Amino acid sequence: MIRRIVAYADGDDLVASRDFYVEVLGMEVAMEDPVLGLRSPADPAAQVLIPPPGMEDPAPRFGVDVGEPAAVDAAHAEALRRGLRVVHPLTDEPWGVRRFFVEDPSGTVVNVLAHLPRR
């Protein structure tokens, strides 16, 4: 079950980006570490993530939240079975997500993720 699809923006100037999305577009800050996460006050699933320069190489174009860590594992296994290029390994990140990056058949890098259960 896909919970949300999250757009990524470039993060050359995080302060200016934060000001733009908050002051011009009316978004709210959802998180600032490890990435700047902004969301719609009316629909928290409408989000933009802005990683700092150099955090993710290659940087994904967007993220797909598949709902559960087991779904991340299943998508990873299917990507490997199909011979797709995984460009960031399956990882449990310290900020509470399980994810991997994969290139789609046209070369677009996609972050496939789910939040880990809170401990």
Side-chain angles (χ1 to χ4, degrees), residues 17-32 35-50:
S17 293
R18 181 181 195 270
D19 291 348
F20 170 78
Y21 286 98
V22 171
E23 296 171 9
V24 176
L25 297 181
M27 297 182 85
E28 62 185 22
V29 175
M31 73 175 147
E32 295 191 74
V35 300
L36 177 59
L38 303 131
R39 67 181 173 211
S40 163
D43 181 1
Q47 299 180 2
V48 174
L49 294 180
I50 306 173

Side-chain angles (χ1 to χ4, degrees), residues 4 31 34 65 69 72 91-100 111-117:
R4 63 193 167 115
M31 73 175 147
D65 183 340
V72 175
T91 306
D92 288 345
E93 300 291 2
W95 55 89
V97 297
R98 182 165 182 82
R99 69 181 185 159
F100 72 98
N111 178 7
V112 180
L113 69 126
H115 286 87
L116 294 165

Side-chain angles (χ1 to χ4, degrees), residues 13 16 56 58 62-63 71 79 85 97:
D13 185 337
E56 299 176 328
F62 61 93
R85 185 169 170 248
V97 297

